Amino acid sequence: MTMNLTNKEPIVGYQRQDGRVGIRNVIVIAYLVECAHHVARRIANFFPEDPVHVIGFSGCYPNAYADKMMNALCTHPNVGAVLLVSLGCESFNRNRLLENIRSSGRPVHLVGIQERGGTANAMQEGKTFVSEALEHLKGTSRAVLPFEDLIVGVVSGGSDATSGLTANPAAGKAFDYIVEGGATAIFENTGEMIGLEDHMAARAVTEELGEQIKAAVHKAARYYSVMGHGSFAPGNAEGGLTTLEEKSMGAYCKSGSAPIVGLIKPADRTGRKGLYLMDIVPDGEPRFGFPNPNDIAEMNELIASGAHCILFTTGRGSVAGSAISPVIKICANPETYQRMRGDMDINAGKILYDQATIEEVGKEIVQKIILTAQGQPTCSEALGHQEFSLSYKSFEPIGPACLPSV
């Protein structure tokens, strides 16, 4: 079944100097060490009704992954201006980040708390910059964003026994429509797809990519084995999931059935249009703990790779949103939807009652993506959710087989 994506109102977004177009025009306040988090949050609190989002890296010791993530997030097409908040003695390369943002054409300012004489002075300076940036953003050039240039990510959280029956396959069907329409879709979490690597490899556009996909899943399996746990939380069991295999098969449904054109890691940019798998499991020996995947961190990683918006499937009822990009909640369980409908955008649970087909809900999701891209706030946006999480990880660069040209 195909979906007609023509004859719709155009998506008019925000033109960036690098040629990309965003669907939001937010100001990011980015703290560069946990010691600067309070000042960053207090500055944002001056602007409760404005699109001012706080992100940051808590660590003092440098980390290449966090550096790459912060540079990608601060130059995301949904970001119009950036305030960097530094304590002053952390190891983060603040001057390089400042210059990279400035080179992207965005208004940017760096506040050093120690240099400015402490909290109060830094807050006042940051408040002044944000006020000026908000006025500047009113003049941001607008441009049509073709559907083909949309990038959409998908995660799941708070899964239950209905997730693999309704929300996840409906999200997968939406991904099929997105790819069919010429746009880009990214799914992730190889740790929840252990045992399914041969199925994914068979969908790869080249044999070499298929081998890379299998290697990524095997890495995840080893990581969980060393850490002594899998991607299965007590809430999953309480919601009726019985095994990791059951959860993994349900999670895999989110990818749909389109060919997989590439394998990327967090903050890697996609190339050709189509469906991508993101490998979120660190490379090398397990060092940073990496417990059950953090839904917030996963969304950030998809956003860092360019996702304009995120699909979030849930059965138990997660309320999480994200900074920078809108989050569309797809509720798998009809009882959860009725109980938490203020947090949920799509009721996929109606599939259980034969009130809609998977294909129909998939189309509903695509239409919601379009409306969101046109400026309609999602439930998490309307409620003010801007969750953010960024910790230590370690990744090696992807090889040429991960982004095949054919």
Side-chain angles (χ1 to χ4, degrees), residues 22-332:
I23 65 171
R24 295 293 184 269
N25 200 24
V26 306
I27 294 176
V28 160
I29 301 179
Y31 59 90
L32 306 182
V33 65
E34 185 60 28
C35 304
H37 190 168
H38 174 75
V39 171
R41 183 67 61 187
R42 287 294 299 274
I43 295 169
N45 287 346
F46 286 118
F47 307 94
E49 304 301 322
D50 295 303
V52 178
H53 297 190
V54 176
I55 70 171
F57 176 54
S58 296
C60 190
Y61 189 80
N63 178 246
Y65 156 78
D67 184 87
K68 183 177 181 180
M69 285 285 294
M70 289 290 283
N71 275 270
L73 290 166
C74 288
T75 56
H76 188 279
N78 288 350
V79 174
V82 181
L83 173 66
L84 302 177
V85 183
S86 163
L87 177 61
C89 56
E90 69 274 4
S91 298
F92 198 98
N93 194 330
R94 59 181 187 169
N95 291 323
R96 182 175 62 194
L97 177 58
L98 176 68
E99 185 52 41
N100 287 344
I101 298 168
R102 182 177 289 132
S103 297
S104 76
R106 291 166 172 81
V108 60
H109 183 70
L110 171 65
V111 174
I113 299 170
Q114 293 168 343
E115 296 168 3
R116 296 298 180 266
T119 296
N121 290 344
M123 285 170 51
Q124 185 57 51
E125 184 174 330
K127 178 183 177 184
T128 299
F129 171 78
V130 173
S131 296
E132 295 171 349
L134 285 168
E135 288 300 313
H136 176 85
L137 293 190
K138 293 178 181 178
T140 303
S141 298
R142 306 300 297 269
V144 171
L145 174 65
F147 183 87
E148 295 80 8
D149 289 346
L150 271 176
I151 303 175
V152 181
V154 67
V155 301
S156 57
S159 299
D160 70 5
T162 67
S163 296
L165 301 175
T166 62
N168 289 351
K173 183 56 65 174
F175 262 27
D176 287 346
Y177 294 140
I178 289 167
V179 172
E180 179 186 291
T184 298
I186 311 172
F187 72 109
E188 46 72 67
N189 204 347
T190 50
E192 288 190 351
M193 297 175 191
I194 297 167
L196 297 166
E197 57 269 29
D198 290 336
H199 294 275
M200 286 190 287
R203 293 168 58 189
V205 294
T206 68
E207 184 177 345
E208 293 79 10
L209 173 60
E211 292 302 314
Q212 292 292 327
I213 290 172
K214 288 192 283 187
V217 177
H218 294 160
K219 177 185 69 170
R222 179 180 178 276
Y223 210 105
Y224 279 124
S225 176
V226 171
M227 299 310 298
H229 60 68
S231 179
F232 198 91
N236 298 146
E238 292 171 5
L241 285 171
T242 60
T243 62
L244 180 58
E245 289 80 4
E246 182 184 4
K247 182 180 181 183
S248 294
M249 287 188 288
Y252 179 58
C253 293
K254 300 195 304 292
S255 68
S257 60
I260 300 172
V261 302
L263 173 68
I264 59 175
K265 298 179 182 183
D268 286 337
R269 296 274 292 272
T270 58
R272 60 186 291 188
K273 313 290 188 181
L275 178 67
Y276 287 81
L277 169 64
M278 177 178 284
D279 175 10
I280 65 171
V281 177
D283 292 323
E285 292 301 312
R287 287 182 291 170
F288 302 125
F290 193 60
N292 281 326
N294 179 328
D295 301 334
I296 311 301
E298 292 173 47
M299 288 192 284
N300 296 336
E301 290 171 336
L302 291 166
I303 293 167
S305 286
H308 290 94
C309 65
I310 303 294
L311 306 181
F312 192 125
T313 66
T314 183
R316 298 298 302 277
S318 173
V319 300
S322 186
I324 299 177
S325 293
V327 176
I328 298 171
K329 289 289 179 49
I330 306 167
C331 190

Side-chain angles (χ1 to χ4, degrees), residues 317-387:
S318 173
V319 300
S322 186
I324 299 177
S325 293
V327 176
I328 298 171
K329 289 289 179 49
I330 306 167
C331 190
N333 190 317
E335 294 180 0
T336 303
Y337 179 80
Q338 291 302 322
R339 188 172 62 252
M340 301 181 65
R341 60 188 312 159
D343 288 274
M344 303 298 157
D345 297 285
I346 302 288
N347 177 17
K350 57 192 174 185
I351 294 170
L352 291 179
Y353 295 134
D354 290 329
Q355 295 171 346
T357 65
I358 290 173
E359 289 78 11
E360 287 169 342
V361 176
K363 291 181 179 181
E364 184 181 350
I365 293 168
V366 175
Q367 291 302 327
K368 180 61 179 177
I369 291 169
I370 294 170
L371 290 172
T372 300
Q374 290 170 337
Q376 183 183 96
T378 65
C379 288
S380 65
E381 285 185 293
L383 291 166
H385 283 282
Q386 298 176 15
E387 284 80 355

